[in-house]
Amino acid sequence: MTRDSRYDVLFEPIQIGPVTARNRFYQVPHCNGMGHTMPNSVAAMRGMKAEGGWAVVATEECDIHPSSDVLPYREARLWDLDDQKRLALMVDRVHEHGALAAVELVHSGHNVSNNYSRLPVLGVSDSPVNSFDPVQACAMTHRDIASVRRWHRQAAIRARDAGFDIVYVYAGHDLSLPMHFISRRHNRRGDEYGGSLENRVRLTRELLEDTHEAVGDTCGVALRFAVDELLGDDGICSAGEGREIVEMLAELPDIWDVNVSDWANDSVTARFGEEGNQERYVSFVKQCTSKPVVGVGRFTSPDAMVAQIRRGVLDMIGAARPSIADPFLPRKIEQGRIEDIRECIGCNICVAGDWTQSPIRCTQNPTMGEEWRRSWHPESMNPRGASKTVLVVGAGPAGLEAAMSLGRRGYEVTLADRDQGGGRAVAEARLPGLASYQRVADYRIGQIGRCADVRFYPGSAMDANSIREFGADHVAIATGAQWRRDGVGRATWQPVAGCDTHPALYTSDDITAGRSPDEGPVLVYDDDHYYLGGVIAELLAASGLAVTLVTPGPEVSHWTQNTMEQHRIEQRLLEMGVTLAAKQTLAAVSPGHVQTRCNATGQVVHRDAVSLVLVTSRVPDNALYFALAGEDESRLADLPFSLMRIGDCMAPSTIAQAVYDGHRFAREVDERPDPDVVPFQREQSLIHPLGG
Ligand code: ADP
Ligand code: SF4
């Protein structure tokens, strides 16, 4: 297959200072939860993007000095020559595949607490650090500013010597000193670095000039700049200072990497922002500069990408999440394989890796973060083993991924689902803001349809007898899980009195199946803490019912702090008139009435509620597995086939985890790893001799 000529413009080379990018696909800096602690893993992950056709592959933010130490987060570092060697691993992997490597140098100012280095925090002004750590930054003196400029310059030279082709000055996301200096909120200085806009931009200008002077003959110099903070008059605004700054610095960087701030606005989830949603803020930039402009917008559609270039909005299509979901997105467009693109669903599970200090993961791409650790490649599987046939029961995210990946290995796969397939991904896609979850099913069902070795039978409920009679070499049970109807969750460890006889009690399964309460007031009790409780409250409030959301957590949808949505969810629910009650645990229910208990005082609160929706925890749908394996798995060894349960049927979790589980099953059929051995390679700290 060849590429559609409509997309030719995406493959035109472009000059960035002294270097040339081979096409218009630019993996902008993105964190990965691995950072400087896992340099081999990062190198393999970034190298995969280069192999997949991206012209530029950038690091995440890269600390230039121990006074900018982001612990507990794991980002890149370029403090010394040792760090340089580690980052050179990534550069080499990126160069191997013909891409340019970019490094996003950062001094984080008051965005860090220096928990590791224990150096004083340097900030634009005397102010508390960004987190709740009981730490303040000290206002930088002229000597401190000179030091930061020297450290930035030294880091730029180390970056060039590591082989990087593009070196960034970073004034974005409200996360770095240059942006703190620019910001009227943060900058209270009375010297030539404070007051007028020209003064506040001075540090950014100096860093750009320093970087040009130090490495500009060999490296392109990029400026990452947030043109709008979406804070109105309190922040940088594309109609005001944002534009003025671009005009002031117009020709100074070799490339403008522009976005909105903060990170939650830049990487907005699909629930709160559509593809291309930054255009209205960044579209002015190209009118102010002759230098190339790169920007992001969760672009997965090549037509949308082409439109950005043709309409003069961007010169290069920046991507973090679309490159995570599909590192081979550019190659697939180049090869005319549009239907093979694994589209990002905008869920921000990848972002959660960074916030939870865990290696990056992705709902759509189970190989993300596993390129080095397990040698997984997103586009190729290990060859088929000795056996031939596999039966997968249940076509939710786990079963679909398993069947698709087994088909790629060359197994003859039968996939059966009692319904139409897609499982919870399709069910949840019916809820407000979650339509993109459908992509989890659509991509896999589409791929399976093109794979002669996989036969998919929707509308086929399987039982133990039909599975035994089927006679496959391997059977995977991927039958999912059911939401509990008795209130048991994290805060409540035994069934809540009255749930079993309540006349209007619903679970998430009821709601996604279209069985919603039609009478209020409704109480949604959320002891799950991810998105579903909040989404269901939104759905019911939108249908006109009076809704109260009660949670034993500290706030509504608490875990969505990690996907950077919590504040939006809370705002939306409050604006819709939903009453929120946090730190309250379900105590008893009766028709028309619910009792909750304050976590702190134990005081009981009586609430009127005709209908009750429980989002607490799930019970694996594992009856089929145990019917075959025996209650204590005693028959497992005697079965004429290997039997596994995967996904939510084994241990309910995120859709990302179900997909991962299905993928791992597919990789390991015929080669089950020894359960007594660590199943992946690890990056271990060096051991220094005692006293050394
Ligand atoms: P996971 O996230 O682990 O993939 P889901 O709950 O999303 O789990 O999907 C489970 C799928 O299994 C659903 O599509 C459901 O229709 C299907 N299923 C459950 N029991 C059976 C069965 N006995 N036979 C065939 N399909 C089943
Ligand atoms: Fe997109 Fe979700 Fe994957 Fe992140 S985890 S890249 S948001 S699909």
Side-chain angles (χ1 to χ4, degrees):
M1 276 186 283
T2 51
R3 84 170 173 245
D4 189 322
S5 58
R6 272 182 305 166
Y7 306 139
D8 285 354
V9 67
L10 298 172
F11 294 90
E12 288 173 9
I14 187 165
Q15 197 73 24
I16 303 172
V19 297
T20 306
R22 61 182 163 184
N23 62 38
R24 303 305 178 94
F25 295 93
Y26 193 120
Q27 183 244 272
V28 294
H30 73 74
C31 61
N32 51 79
M34 304 189 288
H36 65 94
T37 62
M38 300 184 194
N40 293 287
S41 305
V42 171
M45 181 268 285
R46 302 288 188 201
M48 198 62 80
K49 311 278 191 87
E51 188 183 335
W54 298 84
V56 180
V57 178
T59 61
E60 64 276 32
E61 63 170 21
C62 177
D63 290 338
I64 59 172
H65 188 263
S67 61
S68 170
D69 142 37
V70 294
L71 194 82
Y73 303 106
R74 296 197 277 201
E75 314 293 335
R77 267 184 194 165
L78 205 32
W79 294 357
D80 61 12
L81 292 176
D82 197 38
D83 290 333
Q84 180 186 306
K85 273 188 250 158
R86 287 157 194 268
L87 275 176
L89 292 175
M90 165 196 156
V91 174
D92 292 346
R93 295 295 288 267
V94 168
H95 284 172
E96 241 171 65
H97 298 286
L100 302 175
V103 60
E104 186 187 46
L105 300 183
V106 66
H107 193 292
S108 303
H110 70 257
N111 190 51
V112 295
S113 303
N114 290 343
N115 288 327
Y116 175 58
S117 69
R118 301 197 66 179
L119 295 174
V121 175
L122 299 175
V124 56
S125 302
D126 287 310
S127 77
V129 295
N130 258 350
S131 66
F132 288 108
D133 290 346
V135 175
Q136 282 207 194
C138 118
M140 290 164 69
T141 62
H142 281 171
R143 203 159 58 103
D144 295 327
I145 293 174
S147 296
V148 166
R149 288 180 61 183
R150 193 174 63 253
W151 298 331
H152 199 279
R153 188 189 168 89
Q154 288 168 350
I157 291 168
R158 284 195 285 273
R160 179 200 60 199
D161 294 348
F164 280 104
D165 309 284
I166 296 171
V167 178
Y168 268 82
V169 172
Y170 178 37
H173 295 132
D174 199 23
L175 293 179
S176 69
L177 265 183
M179 186 154 176
H180 298 157
F181 270 73
I182 289 170
S183 161
R184 279 179 288 111
R185 285 193 323 287
H186 301 308
N187 187 334
R188 293 186 290 276
R189 300 179 73 92
D191 62 4
E192 72 272 29
Y193 288 93
S196 69
L197 183 61
E198 196 183 344
N199 282 355
R200 285 182 277 125
V201 171
R202 191 177 306 281
L203 179 65
T204 304
R205 181 190 289 281
E206 287 172 344
L207 292 175
L208 283 166
E209 287 166 353
D210 292 346
T211 310
H212 264 299
E213 195 190 303
V215 300
D217 55 341
T218 38
C219 303
V221 177
L223 175 59
R224 194 172 213 202
F225 176 56
V227 297
D228 205 307
E229 296 184 275
L230 314 194
L231 292 174
D233 289 343
D234 287 339
I236 298 165
C237 178
S238 52
E241 288 192 341
R243 185 180 185 116
E244 286 178 57
I245 293 168
V246 177
E247 285 169 351
M248 284 163 79
L249 302 176
E251 301 300 311
L252 206 43
D254 293 318
I255 182 164
W256 282 88
D257 176 349
V258 287
N259 59 6
V260 295
S261 181
D262 56 9
W263 187 17
N265 290 327
D266 187 18
S267 295
V268 68
T269 54
R271 193 173 160 191
F272 295 98
E274 71 288 5
E275 181 173 352
N277 66 332
Q278 298 201 19
E279 178 177 334
R280 74 194 97 149
Y281 303 106
V282 304
S283 57
F284 76 89
V285 177
K286 264 190 66 62
Q287 297 155 19
C288 308
T289 177
S290 68
K291 299 299 168 99
V293 177
V294 58
V296 294
R298 217 173 57 246
F299 294 113
T300 56
S301 145
D303 293 306
M305 297 175 194
V306 167
Q308 291 287 307
I309 295 177
R310 291 255 182 258
R311 289 191 292 109
V313 180
L314 301 174
D315 297 294
M316 297 192 78
I317 304 302
R321 290 172 293 176
S323 77
I324 293 168
D326 198 339
F328 278 65
L329 190 151
R331 283 260 181 274
K332 289 175 183 175
I333 298 174
E334 193 173 23
Q335 294 167 352
R337 296 167 50 213
I338 307 299
E339 67 287 356
D340 290 338
I341 294 173
R342 215 171 23 244
E343 290 184 290
C344 167
I345 68 165
C347 63
N348 278 5
I349 278 290
C350 50
V351 169
D354 191 62
W355 287 110
T356 57
Q357 298 100 52
S358 323
I360 189 167
R361 59 213 54 209
C362 170
T363 300
Q364 279 284 58
N365 175 10
T367 67
M368 179 45 53
E370 304 290 350
E371 300 83 355
W372 180 83
R373 186 166 84 150
R374 288 186 184 267
S375 298
W376 286 0
H377 190 288
E379 299 303 311
S380 60
M381 296 291 293
N382 39 335
R384 181 165 68 78
S387 60
K388 272 205 181 116
T389 56
V390 188
L391 170 66
V392 180
V393 181
L400 283 171
E401 174 68 24
M404 179 189 76
S405 302
L406 284 161
R408 289 179 178 167
R409 286 189 67 185
Y411 286 91
E412 287 169 29
V413 186
T414 302
L415 172 65
D417 197 288
R418 64 181 173 201
D419 297 328
Q420 292 311 297
R424 63 177 287 205
V426 167
E428 291 176 16
R430 298 181 194 118
L431 298 173
L434 302 187
S436 60
Y437 285 29
Q438 180 77 34
R439 292 176 171 183
V440 174
D442 287 352
Y443 166 71
R444 290 168 176 82
I445 291 173
Q447 295 290 304
I448 284 170
R450 282 188 283 282
C451 180
D453 289 334
V454 186
R455 283 162 302 159
F456 176 31
Y457 297 99
S460 305
M462 303 289 287
D463 59 20
N465 281 337
S466 55
I467 292 172
R468 275 193 218 97
E469 280 164 18
F470 191 84
D473 296 324
H474 307 280
V475 176
I477 307 292
T479 45
Q482 304 287 321
W483 286 92
R484 296 185 75 112
R485 313 189 73 85
D486 58 4
V488 171
R490 282 175 173 76
T492 315
W493 62 93
Q494 52 193 351
V496 173
C499 284
D500 47 349
T501 54
H502 198 285
L505 186 148
Y506 302 82
T507 69
S508 306
D509 293 321
D510 295 319
I511 308 290
T512 53
R515 293 186 296 274
S516 277
D518 47 19
E519 207 182 337
V522 186
L523 189 143
V524 177
Y525 179 68
D526 181 9
D527 197 10
D528 174 56
H529 309 285
Y530 195 13
Y531 54 87
L532 274 176
V535 171
I536 289 170
E538 182 182 333
L539 174 81
L540 299 178
S543 75
L545 294 170
V547 180
T548 299
L549 190 151
V550 176
T551 177
E555 60 194 355
V556 54
S557 303
H558 181 54
W559 200 82
T560 63
Q561 288 280 2
N562 298 311
T563 53
M564 306 194 302
E565 295 170 289
Q566 196 283 330
H567 60 298
R568 291 186 205 282
I569 294 170
E570 188 163 335
Q571 179 189 354
R572 181 171 287 179
L573 293 178
L574 287 172
E575 286 174 355
M576 293 180 86
V578 175
T579 304
L580 303 179
K583 300 186 185 175
Q584 293 276 327
T585 298
L586 196 64
V589 303
S590 56
H593 194 76
V594 171
Q595 291 177 34
T596 64
R597 189 174 284 122
C598 170
N599 289 0
T601 64
Q603 192 184 351
V604 170
V605 180
H606 297 268
R607 301 170 190 276
D608 291 333
V610 170
S611 308
L612 177 63
V613 182
L614 297 180
V615 189
T616 58
S617 62
R618 286 177 284 166
V619 183
D621 227 335
N622 55 21
L624 204 45
Y625 174 82
F626 285 107
L628 291 160
E631 278 308 302
D632 54 359
E633 297 183 311
S634 56
R635 294 203 298 271
L636 207 48
D638 302 329
L639 291 171
F641 46 84
S642 83
L643 179 68
M644 294 280 289
R645 51 194 163 134
I646 58 174
D648 291 341
C649 162
M650 176 80 184
S653 181
T654 56
I655 295 177
Q657 188 58 28
V659 169
Y660 182 84
D661 227 25
H663 192 85
R664 188 165 62 84
F665 169 78
R667 293 259 177 195
E668 293 175 352
V669 160
D670 279 324
E671 300 110 38
R672 293 264 155 255
D674 180 344
D676 295 345
V677 174
V678 179
F680 42 76
Q681 49 176 347
R682 285 183 293 166
E683 308 210 41
Q684 302 280 49
S685 308
L686 289 177
I687 298 175
H688 295 280
L690 277 181

